[in-house]
Amino acid sequence: MAFEQELEIARSLAVESAKLALQYQKGITAVEKADHSPVTRADKECEQLIAGKLKEAFPDDGLLGEEGASAASANGRKWIIDPIDGTRDYLRGNPLWGPMIALEVNGEVAVGVVHFAGYGGSYWAVRGEGAYHNGERVHVSGKTSAAESVLCMNQLNKLDRERYWDRLVPWINGFWAMRGLGGTPDAMMVAAGQAEVWIEPKASPWDFAVPKLVIEEAGGIFRNLDGGSSIYAGNGIGFTPGLASVVEEFLR
């Protein structure tokens, strides 16, 4: 398998950092960052743990972390870290959070891992090697009709400023059901064939790196709202190929 060592270390660090976060969870408080998102002592210490051990194992690789971890790359490789994806859920005691670790190689995500300590375990993927949930390979569903499909969407409370707001509700009405567990859990549902479309209207590269790779390696498609396919565009849609025409019609 390509990137076998990288995957093994990323998986181990995701589990280790989740255990560290659990030690702090009871009674933890947060402060608000400039973008109004919360950050806790656990976020910072988990990122320090992950970044430190990655740099020790791969000293020439770059780093990009949500809480400030940063290092220039000497070889075209960069680790992208979200120490606790879903900090709001973490603060409330909900299980929908987990560390995410991705390796980008020459601008393309090649390895991605997320570990939900209290919700479903680990998902991971390696470019060209497929996507997995707790060791079992996962695939997107074969649904081809919105009327039989599940749409997942995050941050509905922030959508009134988006250009597609006026036509969003009529479009949603065409789906069999709608769910919203938070960005990454929703994305993993698409990858595992439990939902067909996931929309994340506003997020950062560390939010998209792992979901993009896992969905693509599960046979799905990742796009930005402008039709691109970048983790740096600030938004993303993951979907099964059978719903491509439905998604493309909405994006137009």
Side-chain angles (χ1 to χ4, degrees), residues 110 126-130 137 213 217:
V126 173
R127 179 69 61 187
E129 304 282 354
R137 192 156 184 173
L213 178 64
E217 285 299 311

Side-chain angles (χ1 to χ4, degrees), residues 12-29:
S12 174
L13 285 175
V15 172
E16 185 179 354
S17 57
K19 288 180 179 177
L20 176 61
L22 284 169
Q23 293 175 18
Y24 287 119
Q25 191 175 25
K26 188 175 181 179
I28 198 165
T29 59

